[in-house]
Amino acid sequence: MIDDKKVDFSKTTFFRLVTKIADLPKDSKPQVVFAGKSNVGKSSVLNKLCRQNKLAKTSQAAGKTRNLVFFDVSEAFYLVDLPGYGFSKSSKAEQERFSKLTDDYLHSESPIALILHLLDIRHMPTRQDLEMVYWLEATKSPYTILLNKADKLSRPKQEQMQSKIRKFLQSETGIVFPMQKISAETGLGIDSLADLIRENVAGSK
Ligand SMILES: Nc1nc2c(ncn2[C@@H]2O[C@H](COP(=O)(O)OP(=O)(O)OP(=O)(O)O)[C@@H](O)[C@H]2O)c(=O)[nH]1
Ligand SMILES: [Mg+2]
């Protein structure tokens, strides 16, 4: 059992780059996955959460994270930074390799405690986002949508977009998903994200 009060995100270290399924950790520590379109801010949110700017590599150009990157939090569980989908500049073969790796990972026996699916709060979900929603939901792991880059909108606009996105996903899927606004830039919602992760990793063992 993980004592969630003792989990210190600032004690996160790089653990392993996984380029093939055989490299996945074989231990039973819970895994918390960051998924989402390229450039939505997965690596930036992970860094903000861990209060370390350079832990996960980020970039203004889409397609920075190319493999599954595992980080170890207080030797209690893993954070997993996934490559983004929808990145058109990489070759077709490369795109297929990333998505096969992600697909195989999410269907592996890995103890996934929580999937965090990032969307950009400024935009309605794309067709690809929606496919990912269906697909991630089908894994039956606990699943939350994070609306990132909230700092780019005024408070009223944030509320408006959150409501529009919630209604759109509900009308498409029939499901009301848990959803939180966050910003890797200002830290909005990052403390409650840390609590959500603590609860899920504590509950998963
Ligand atoms: N204003 C603002 N910019 C952000 C936020 N989160 C990320 N960014 C910026 O968005 C860009 C992409 O961020 P990354 O964290 O590299 O995105 P990613 O989802 O990991 O991208 P891939 O690795 O390509 O899949 C960078 O220029 C970040 O500084 C945010 O909350 N607000
Ligand atoms: Mg990244």
Side-chain angles (χ1 to χ4, degrees), residues 42-44 57-58 64-65 81-84:
K42 298 173 293 298
S43 304
S44 304
K57 293 199 177 81
T58 65
K64 184 69 189 170
T65 310
D81 192 13
L82 293 187

Side-chain angles (χ1 to χ4, degrees), residues 20-21 23 47 50 53-54 66 75 85 87 103 109 137 146 149 153 187 200-201:
K20 55 185 191 305
I21 244 36
D23 297 338
N47 286 344
C50 301
N53 293 337
K54 297 202 170 102
R66 302 292 184 105
E75 296 188 0
Y85 52 84
F87 174 55
D103 192 38
E109 297 290 299
E137 205 274 329
L146 300 176
K149 307 202 183 183
L153 297 179
N200 278 275
V201 296

Side-chain angles (χ1 to χ4, degrees), residues 23-199:
D23 297 338
L24 286 171
K26 309 258 181 322
D27 60 68
S28 61
K29 288 182 205 163
Q31 303 179 4
V32 174
V33 179
F34 288 77
K37 199 167 137 191
S38 219
N39 215 40
V40 71
K42 298 173 293 298
S43 304
S44 304
V45 169
L46 198 150
N47 286 344
K48 192 72 179 177
L49 183 71
C50 301
R51 299 166 204 226
Q52 299 180 48
N53 293 337
K54 297 202 170 102
L55 189 63
K57 293 199 177 81
T58 65
S59 167
Q60 285 181 2
K64 184 69 189 170
T65 310
R66 302 292 184 105
N67 292 293
L68 313 183
V69 193
F70 278 70
F71 299 92
D72 177 304
V73 187
S74 298
E75 296 188 0
F77 62 94
Y78 296 110
L79 298 177
V80 186
D81 192 13
L82 293 187
Y85 52 84
F87 174 55
S88 53
K89 281 202 191 119
S90 54
S91 72
K92 191 102 181 118
E94 267 292 87
Q95 281 184 49
E96 273 165 19
R97 188 182 75 80
F98 307 153
S99 56
K100 172 140 187 6
L101 185 62
T102 306
D103 192 38
D104 289 349
Y105 165 55
L106 293 171
H107 287 104
S108 68
E109 297 290 299
S110 300
I112 297 174
L114 178 64
I115 298 176
L116 301 165
H117 184 187
L118 275 75
L119 299 176
D120 187 322
I121 196 167
R122 295 170 296 174
H123 309 297
M124 293 307 285
T126 61
R127 184 57 32 197
Q128 232 175 353
D129 287 322
L130 196 57
E131 279 169 18
M132 201 68 180
V133 168
Y134 278 118
W135 193 67
L136 291 174
E137 205 274 329
T139 66
K140 297 293 169 210
S141 300
Y143 173 54
T144 290
I145 291 177
L146 300 176
L147 302 177
N148 191 36
K149 307 202 183 183
D151 59 285
K152 297 266 197 187
L153 297 179
S154 66
R155 268 292 187 87
K157 263 277 182 202
Q158 291 172 14
E159 296 303 327
Q160 199 186 336
M161 282 307 291
Q162 178 161 4
S163 157
K164 276 175 81 173
I165 294 171
R166 176 178 285 120
K167 282 187 191 136
F168 171 76
L169 292 178
Q170 188 179 2
S171 71
E172 292 285 332
T173 65
I175 302 169
V176 181
F177 292 102
M179 203 175 265
Q180 294 189 10
K181 295 187 294 260
I182 56 164
S183 167
E185 186 74 21
T186 63
L188 174 85
I190 297 292
D191 287 345
S192 67
L193 175 61
D195 288 341
L196 177 76
I197 294 174
R198 286 190 185 97
E199 281 161 26

